[in-house]
Amino acid sequence: MAKAYSADMRGRVIAEVEGGASRREAAEGFEVSASTAIIWVKCFRETGRCVAKPRGGSISPLEKHADFLLGLIEKQSDLTLDEVVLVMRKHRIVGSRTAVWRLFQRHKITFKKKPARGGARARGCGAGAPALDAITGHV
């Protein structure tokens, strides 16, 4: 997403229009779109100022329950995300697996594979399929 224009740029365009220029002329002079200049001037005339709207800053509904969820992981560190969601449902906490993952990510909680599992093996390692002669019994 593009960065918002500075308050200085907005102020100069508005001052130009208030000084007698048309909105379109001011827009051309400062190399912004005509619709942008029209919106800035309308905002200024209605409210007396025209600053950029704040961006971002949304807060997850799960943040209210962060202590509870982080406590679950402290007690039992090998819980899967699905198991955490099941516990949430039992406590009537609304949220999805993705929301839980993002909450843990924000709080620097990671889930590592267990070392005893061994993980996936590369192709070609270990015994392969038996030869055709061994299966049929032919020599």
Side-chain angles (χ1 to χ4, degrees), residues 110-122:
T110 59
F111 293 92
K112 300 291 182 185
K113 291 182 180 178
K114 296 177 186 172
R117 242 180 89 188
R121 293 187 178 177

Side-chain angles (χ1 to χ4, degrees), residues 43-81:
C43 176
F44 176 74
R45 288 184 178 166
E46 288 175 355
T47 65
R49 60 189 186 94
C50 190
V51 295
K53 293 179 184 175
R55 297 173 132 189
S58 64
I59 297 173
S60 169
L62 289 181
E63 285 297 334
K64 293 184 282 188
H65 308 285
D67 293 336
F68 171 73
L69 295 171
L70 295 173
L72 278 175
I73 297 300
E74 275 185 35
K75 291 177 190 170
Q76 193 175 356
S77 62
D78 63 343
L79 284 175
T80 65
L81 291 173

